[in-house]
Amino acid sequence: MQITKNSIQTAAGPSEWFTGAVYIDAVAAPAAGSRLSANSVHFTPAARTAWHTHPNGQTIYVTEGAGLCQRRGGPIEAIRPGDRVFFEPGEEHWHGAAPDRFMTHVAMLEVDDDGNSATWGEHVTDEEYATAPA
Ligand code: MN
């Protein structure tokens, strides 16, 4: 058993992976045979991930605010607290906050054999983001 007290600093989401201000609190980290990675991710209004994929897929569970997500080739979908989304392994997608709302989700996945959680692509442009439902 290992207790991690609430002492890990909130990390700013790196600008290579996110547009806008995003803050990340670690929930679970892969260790000792566990591949589970989980983070509580806080998006400020209009902040979002870049396009990316996960080797073993990902579940996000919205806990606060109003959010958006999209898979490549699909429409932008609105997501709310209590909604969960599963992104298939290798499915290109993004997730983030609505234009005028904060959004927090818990993001959960299993890393691959090399410990990789995601492969990152280009940022979601303002033009792409602007097609979100009102
Ligand atoms: Mn993702």
Side-chain angles (χ1 to χ4, degrees), residues 49 52-54 58 60 87 93-95 107 109 118 120:
T49 70
H52 63 285
T53 62
H54 303 287
Q58 178 187 48
I60 60 171
F87 302 102
H93 69 281
W94 63 269
H95 28 110
L109 58 78
W120 293 93

Side-chain angles (χ1 to χ4, degrees), residues 51 68-72 74-77 87 92-94 128:
W51 288 99
L68 300 168
C69 63
Q70 183 181 27
R71 67 174 175 84
R72 182 70 80 180
I76 297 177
E77 304 276 1
F87 302 102
E92 196 175 16
H93 69 281
W94 63 269
E128 290 174 309

